[in-house]
Amino acid sequence: MSSYSTEDALLGETETATDTEITDAGAMVEPPTLTGEEGGAVADASALDDTEVIGEDELLAEEPRVESPYDRPGQWFVVHTQSGYEKKVKQNLEARISSMNMEERIHEVVIPMEDVVEFKNGKKQVVQKKMFPGYLLVRCELDDDSWYVIRNTPGVTGFVGQGAKPSPLPRRDVESFLQVKAEGAEEAPKRGKPRLEYEMGETVRIKEGPFADFSGVIVEINEDQLKVKVLVNIFGRETPVELEFSQVAKL
């Protein structure tokens, strides 16, 4: 009887100890409850999660995107034409593209233009002139058929390129020769300072005055006073002559 009682007592103590350990272990894994400053920190972190974050794509979408003509389908090639007939050749080529159903191969024909400062009647004015007289830019998918249509257009004398195969223009030249326009913009981006009609080192003819019909080289340009200084050969001696812009002409 006593042995059974002792054994039962020992088993009871063991079970009590086991229950205590389980209870303590359970207490250790329970998540702590944050109060006071710690609770406030958690609340602030939750508030940060609710903050709206603007993605990079959205920021870029707000800025005006600029379309480069180089990124349009096809490649850009330079086509040589009869000088002075660029506009007529452009019309001829566009008519052939339409009549021969080549719109999907030949996309665009352009006469590159630039702003040039001219002086007429003593007044300065900016006019648009051909950047490369005697040349057109053509954007196309160049193959035998498109080459044939372009090359055999009246007024076209050939492609520009090294060797027998025409060379497409690189991005730098395309974006330099053609105006890049911002999407949705009413006006094109402003160009750089317009080019002067005359350049240093250029040979010009004198139209009026005591040196009329003489020719000489421009050695100085005074844009503010609308004058140029031309080095003229008079009696075997080069003499600088100051003239107004209206008194000289290109050769």
Side-chain angles (χ1 to χ4, degrees):
M1 295 287 295
S2 59
S3 61
Y4 283 106
S5 300
T6 304
E7 185 177 356
D8 292 340
L10 289 174
L11 288 173
E13 291 177 0
T14 303
E15 290 175 357
T16 304
T18 304
D19 292 340
T20 303
E21 289 175 3
I22 293 172
T23 304
D24 292 341
M28 290 177 63
V29 298
E30 288 180 4
T33 303
L34 297 180
T35 59
E37 292 181 1
E38 292 181 346
V42 172
D44 292 342
S46 301
L48 287 175
D49 293 339
D50 295 334
T51 303
E52 183 179 358
V53 179
I54 300 176
E56 182 180 355
D57 294 340
E58 294 180 30
L59 287 173
L60 293 175
E62 293 177 1
E63 299 178 358
R65 295 183 180 179
V66 178
E67 179 200 11
S68 171
Y70 184 84
D71 295 329
R72 298 170 190 168
Q75 293 179 304
W76 288 92
F77 295 89
V78 181
V79 175
H80 188 263
T81 70
Q82 295 178 2
S83 185
Y85 293 91
E86 297 87 358
K87 188 174 181 180
K88 182 63 177 176
V89 175
K90 179 177 183 291
Q91 293 173 346
N92 289 341
L93 178 52
E94 289 174 341
R96 281 172 61 83
I97 294 170
S98 177
S99 63
M100 301 179 76
N101 298 319
M102 291 293 292
E103 290 90 348
E104 294 184 359
R105 306 296 297 167
I106 306 174
H107 309 292
E108 196 172 354
V109 184
V110 177
I111 302 174
M113 306 294 287
E114 65 177 339
D115 294 334
V116 178
V117 175
E118 284 189 347
F119 295 85
K120 291 185 178 180
N121 300 323
K123 294 182 179 180
K124 182 170 104 173
Q125 59 182 9
V126 179
V127 297
Q128 277 208 327
K129 287 195 171 183
K130 299 181 186 73
M131 188 179 294
F132 306 110
Y135 294 92
L136 298 177
L137 299 185
V138 180
R139 179 169 60 88
C140 66
E141 311 283 350
L142 193 63
D143 55 17
D144 291 342
D145 293 335
S146 58
W147 182 92
Y148 178 85
V149 172
I150 297 169
R151 181 64 184 83
N152 290 282
T153 298
V156 171
T157 58
F159 281 86
V160 174
Q162 297 178 352
K165 186 177 180 180
S167 303
L169 286 173
R171 176 183 290 273
R172 180 184 66 253
D173 291 341
V174 171
E175 294 179 349
S176 174
F177 300 157
L178 300 176
Q179 189 174 359
V180 178
K181 200 172 194 177
E183 291 184 0
E186 295 181 1
E187 296 181 358
K190 292 184 179 179
R191 298 184 179 185
K193 186 177 180 181
R195 182 175 65 85
L196 289 172
E197 184 180 11
Y198 302 108
E199 299 177 358
M200 292 287 292
E202 183 178 4
T203 302
V204 294
R205 178 179 62 85
I206 301 173
K207 298 191 297 182
E208 54 187 53
F211 302 103
D213 296 327
F214 277 74
S215 61
V217 177
I218 296 177
V219 294
E220 185 179 320
I221 299 176
N222 190 328
E223 183 180 350
D224 296 330
Q225 296 183 8
L226 314 183
K227 292 181 179 181
V228 292
K229 191 172 287 186
V230 180
L231 206 59
V232 181
N233 191 322
I234 303 174
F235 303 117
R237 184 176 179 180
E238 290 187 333
T239 305
V241 179
E242 191 174 61
L243 301 161
E244 294 182 359
F245 273 64
S246 59
Q247 293 179 298
V248 297
K250 289 179 174 287
L251 289 178

